[in-house]
Amino acid sequence: MDLSSWTPEYFATNESLCLEQLSKPEIRSQIPLLNCTPLHEVVDNALVRFRGMIQDMQDPECYLERYDVRKKDDGSLIRVQSGKYRDVLAMNKDEETVDFQAGSNKYGERRSMFVISIPGYNYWAVECEEKMNPTSRLNSEGQVSERSSTKRSHGEDSEMMETDESGEGESVFKKPMLPVEQSTTVQQPCSSKTTLNSGKGSKFLSAEYLLNSPIPDRPSKASLVKLYSNYDDCSLNSLVDVVGFLSVDPALDGSTDQVEEFEDEMSEHQATNPPPSLIPRIHAISFQELRHLNPLLEPYCESTSSPEANDIWKDIQNLLTQCLFEDKVAADYLLCHLISTVYVRNEIESLGHFSLNLSNIPSEVLPDYTKGLYEIMELLLPASHYFPMTLENMNTMQFVPKKDYTTNKLTSGLLQLAPHTHLLLDETKLQTGKLESTGVEAVQSIAHLIKTQKLKYNFQFYQLEFNSDVPVLVLSEGKSMLPTNFCFPLAPDVDAIKMIGETLKAGKHFIQPKLIEMRKFLTRQRIQEFDMKNFNPEIIQNDFVQMRKENDASADDLHSLLVLARLLGLSRGKSTMDQECWEYAKQLEQERKNRLEMLAKRRNEM
């Protein structure tokens, strides 16, 4: 199927057929992925794809869904033109006028979403996407695509004549869908450090502000996605794969428009109408929510256990054991953390998250060890971020999204991450000093995220909670100040401490032959369905009664044990709960609590 020939008119006429085709992964993969395709390689109105996280949602906008195009000389009706999936009016050179007063005109409503490429997407995942992108495949084969050979510069005049996309072979002029007074300034494609001047007496909006990346030193790409239906299916922070028609006409750039009497309105206009060379528009025709981040697996596949799972999990366990000073029990907890996710959510609680604090890190391996351990995780996970908890970072960085009412934009924060993005907090970097009010609020926000897997967005006059699914790992010398689900003190081997630098380097080479299978395994087990209902509830009940007698266990202790047993089963490639998982979970938890008691006694004796 020649997807490059699709136009908004063709899709409107053949919507059912097109949607059926786009539901097939092999068809969808043929569409250029804008995440890794330069804008100059695709033309306006081309069919494109974009994968990312919904970072913000804009107010609904009104547009001309259908309008009359008339002859300029006598006003006679030429045709009724559809305005759907477009930002500009399509007219022939002799059809210079649109009858905005025509009774047959129809106005529609659409919703814009600000979608950014996945924050913290690791380099191997980006490279994998690039290799699978159809434009990259063509270039690697030394071929030039038909789309590339007919491309034109996006910096050309907005009234440039082009082939009519209705298929009639006529020439058309493109004009803005809604008339705006354009500046005479010629817009150039914006780099990541461009500052956009909105005119005399108005504010400057930087490209960094417009791109709005949660992780400032790892900037994301962005697109403004326009939806025409199913608005309720979208939620902030969701992972989405969007297919639609690209809109990059320079006339859409509002960064140089001037409304000198209304500065605040001007700032909002600039923020909601950024240069399309920086933030292209995509008129969505197909919108799918992704189950996971891993480009090595089909985005919408149902997970099934692999026959090689038994060998793979042992290889991962062995790797983590070596990286954790030969502490096999700690390796099991870390492996559970790597495949954890929220699998049940209601108004009261989120079930399944597994935030972990690995404490008792030997001081002699600092400061290099924590970053070295993260680099191993970075090789295994599609998305992650390492954050050193220095006083400066805690006191100066923005952690939660905040509403900017001047631009009507939600400015992002470090904790607004896509589902399944692992956040490693290095508490060993926290020095003696004072946490300012901003730092205290940051600690509170992180603690709330860890406990509830929800993030409180700052709307200045009030706060709103939004769901999150961000596994948090805290590395510390003593017990963390953050309330993790599991605090596990390491029991390092003396010889392993001396060799840890070489061990981490060797680990990177050790996993190379099986690295792809390891990456697939961790993602599959994260989304794998796991049956706990068929396990005998009397066993759990009797064990809990015994735990209450011996250790004064609480309901929270039972919940933690069940979560651990579930993840232990998944980590071993299983899909159902069995006696082995349950007994091993009890054994690990007993070992963890024994270590905590032992450390507490040592501190009291000092």
Side-chain angles (χ1 to χ4, degrees):
M1 176 169 286
D2 184 13
L3 300 176
S4 64
S5 65
W6 285 20
T7 65
E9 287 76 18
Y10 176 83
F11 176 78
T13 306
N14 305 276
E15 183 171 345
S16 298
L17 173 63
C18 291
L19 291 178
E20 180 184 352
Q21 293 299 315
L22 292 176
S23 65
K24 302 174 182 178
E26 65 273 16
I27 297 295
R28 207 176 182 93
S29 64
Q30 297 176 23
I31 302 170
L33 187 63
L34 212 56
N35 302 64
C36 43
T37 302
L39 274 179
H40 66 265
E41 291 188 5
V42 285
V43 297
D44 196 36
N45 282 330
L47 194 67
V48 296
R49 222 171 112 229
F50 192 78
R51 283 163 51 100
M53 179 189 82
I54 301 176
Q55 192 273 325
D56 194 7
M57 293 182 176
Q58 295 184 353
D59 295 331
E61 65 178 63
C62 183
Y63 75 101
L64 266 176
E65 185 176 342
R66 185 178 64 238
Y67 53 92
D68 288 355
V69 179
R70 298 181 179 275
K71 282 188 177 181
K72 186 177 182 181
D73 51 2
D74 60 9
S76 60
L77 179 67
I78 301 296
R79 72 173 187 274
V80 176
Q81 175 69 41
S82 171
K84 206 170 184 181
Y85 310 116
R86 294 181 182 272
D87 283 308
V88 295
L89 301 176
M91 294 181 290
N92 288 350
K93 59 183 180 180
D94 295 327
E95 301 169 353
E96 285 288 343
T97 186
V98 171
D99 186 358
F100 289 100
Q101 305 302 321
S104 59
N105 286 359
K106 180 182 178 182
Y107 285 86
E109 184 178 276
R110 58 193 178 196
R111 183 79 177 267
S112 294
M113 303 184 305
F114 192 79
V115 182
I116 60 175
S117 56
I118 298 167
Y121 212 34
N122 288 326
Y123 71 93
W124 67 263
V126 174
E127 290 179 352
C128 185
E129 273 193 349
E130 290 175 347
K131 289 178 181 178
M132 293 189 295
N133 187 31
T135 57
S136 299
R137 291 199 296 266
L138 285 172
N139 291 336
S140 66
E141 295 168 2
Q143 301 174 354
V144 179
S145 67
E146 182 178 340
R147 179 179 291 112
S148 297
S149 65
T150 59
K151 69 188 178 187
R152 63 175 177 83
S153 169
H154 295 140
E156 296 178 9
D157 187 84
S158 62
E159 296 188 2
M160 175 181 176
M161 195 161 58
E162 65 170 23
T163 302
D164 180 15
E165 297 185 354
S166 64
E168 299 173 5
E170 300 173 304
S171 297
V172 300
F173 282 98
K174 300 198 300 180
K175 293 185 179 293
M177 185 69 79
L178 295 177
V180 294
E181 182 182 351
Q182 292 295 317
S183 165
T184 57
T185 304
V186 178
Q187 289 297 308
Q188 300 295 331
C190 298
S191 70
S192 61
K193 296 185 178 180
T194 301
T195 299
L196 307 173
N197 190 350
S198 61
K200 181 179 179 180
S202 58
K203 295 182 179 179
F204 290 81
L205 296 181
S206 67
E208 288 88 347
Y209 179 86
L210 291 172
L211 288 171
N212 204 17
S213 300
I215 307 174
D217 59 348
R218 300 175 69 181
S220 302
K221 292 186 177 181
S223 66
L224 200 57
V225 176
K226 302 196 175 186
L227 289 179
Y228 291 81
S229 61
N230 301 325
Y231 310 132
D232 294 337
D233 294 343
C234 307
S235 57
L236 282 181
N237 306 334
S238 295
L239 288 170
V240 294
D241 184 296
V242 179
V243 171
F245 294 105
L246 180 67
S247 180
V248 286
D249 195 280
L252 304 175
D253 183 2
S255 65
T256 57
D257 295 345
Q258 299 183 27
V259 185
E260 295 182 0
E261 297 179 4
F262 306 99
E263 257 191 44
D264 289 345
E265 287 81 355
M266 191 66 258
S267 296
E268 180 178 345
H269 177 74
Q270 292 173 345
T272 54
N273 296 277
S277 55
L278 179 70
I279 302 176
R281 282 64 159 166
I282 299 176
H283 293 266
I285 61 174
S286 176
F287 174 93
Q288 295 180 342
E289 189 166 347
L290 301 177
R291 296 190 66 199
H292 62 80
L293 299 164
N294 196 333
L296 295 172
L297 298 175
E298 292 291 346
Y300 327 106
C301 67
E302 295 295 327
S303 176
T304 55
S305 296
S306 167
E308 299 84 13
N310 192 50
D311 293 332
I312 294 297
W313 82 259
K314 288 181 179 178
D315 288 333
I316 298 175
Q317 184 194 52
N318 184 38
L319 170 69
L320 298 179
T321 299
Q322 294 178 39
C323 294
L324 296 174
F325 311 101
E326 299 298 332
D327 191 336
K328 186 177 179 180
V329 180
D332 278 323
Y333 274 91
L334 183 54
L335 178 52
C336 288
H337 167 78
L338 294 180
I339 62 172
S340 64
T341 186
V342 175
Y343 65 91
V344 174
R345 192 188 296 273
N346 54 46
E347 295 181 358
I348 301 175
E349 59 184 349
S350 302
L351 304 181
H353 57 100
F354 194 93
S355 58
L356 176 64
N357 170 212
L358 292 179
S359 63
N360 201 37
I361 293 177
S363 58
E364 55 264 44
V365 302
L366 299 174
D368 299 328
Y369 169 73
T370 51
K371 191 63 184 291
L373 178 61
Y374 170 75
E375 289 173 356
I376 295 291
M377 294 173 55
E378 190 178 32
L379 286 173
L380 298 171
L381 301 169
S384 60
H385 185 61
Y386 169 83
F387 182 74
M389 293 178 62
T390 63
L391 279 175
E392 181 182 3
N393 285 341
M394 299 301 293
N395 287 331
T396 59
M397 291 193 65
Q398 181 170 320
F399 284 79
V400 299
K402 183 177 181 180
K403 185 71 172 182
D404 184 344
Y405 286 98
T406 303
T407 58
N408 198 28
K409 189 178 180 70
L410 191 65
T411 60
S412 192
L414 177 68
L415 299 181
Q416 190 185 17
L417 299 172
H420 309 160
T421 302
H422 284 254
L423 180 61
L424 190 151
L425 302 176
D426 189 353
E427 201 173 299
T428 67
K429 296 293 192 289
L430 190 61
Q431 318 95 320
T432 302
K434 180 182 178 182
L435 275 178
E436 306 293 344
S437 59
T438 304
V440 173
E441 291 176 3
V443 172
Q444 292 172 345
S445 297
I446 296 171
H448 185 72
L449 172 68
I450 289 173
K451 288 190 293 185
T452 66
Q453 281 301 311
K454 292 184 178 182
L455 193 59
K456 292 182 178 179
Y457 288 35
N458 182 359
F459 285 81
Q460 297 190 32
F461 310 108
Y462 58 94
Q463 291 182 325
L464 279 180
E465 279 190 337
F466 290 89
N467 291 337
S468 187
D469 190 0
V470 177
V472 179
L473 174 65
V474 185
L475 302 181
S476 61
E477 293 182 78
K479 184 177 180 181
S480 173
M481 63 179 176
L482 296 168
T484 54
N485 300 122
F486 296 87
C487 174
F488 190 88
L490 295 175
D493 178 80
V494 176
D495 293 331
I497 293 175
K498 298 175 183 178
M499 299 292 295
I500 194 60
E502 289 76 9
T503 300
L504 292 174
K505 290 179 183 178
K508 294 178 182 179
H509 296 287
F510 163 75
I511 61 177
Q512 288 300 321
K514 297 185 178 181
L515 191 51
I516 290 178
E517 290 306 315
M518 288 180 174
R519 291 165 176 169
K520 289 181 179 180
F521 173 82
L522 291 174
T523 301
R524 284 197 188 104
Q525 299 315 112
R526 184 194 299 275
I527 62 176
Q528 170 74 47
E529 295 293 332
F530 191 79
D531 183 12
M532 299 184 68
K533 296 180 180 178
N534 291 328
F535 186 65
N536 189 349
E538 290 186 5
I539 295 177
I540 298 175
Q541 182 178 343
N542 293 337
D543 285 346
F544 181 55
V545 170
Q546 190 66 26
M547 289 161 56
R548 288 181 64 88
K549 289 180 180 178
E550 296 177 356
N551 303 311
D552 195 25
S554 64
D556 288 340
D557 293 324
L558 177 61
H559 168 68
S560 297
L561 190 58
L562 289 169
V563 170
L564 179 60
R566 175 182 179 273
L567 291 172
L568 284 172
L570 287 169
S571 70
R572 278 135 178 82
K574 299 180 180 180
S575 58
T576 58
M577 180 82 155
D578 57 23
Q579 187 72 28
E580 182 184 4
C581 296
W582 178 248
E583 292 298 330
Y584 191 46
K586 291 194 299 178
Q587 179 184 334
L588 291 186
E589 273 296 86
Q590 188 59 52
E591 171 66 16
R592 184 179 71 88
K593 291 177 180 179
N594 289 343
R595 291 192 189 186
L596 288 172
E597 291 177 4
M598 190 178 302
L599 281 179
K601 288 180 180 178
R602 287 179 184 173
R603 291 194 194 99
N604 292 334
E605 293 171 357
M606 292 176 64

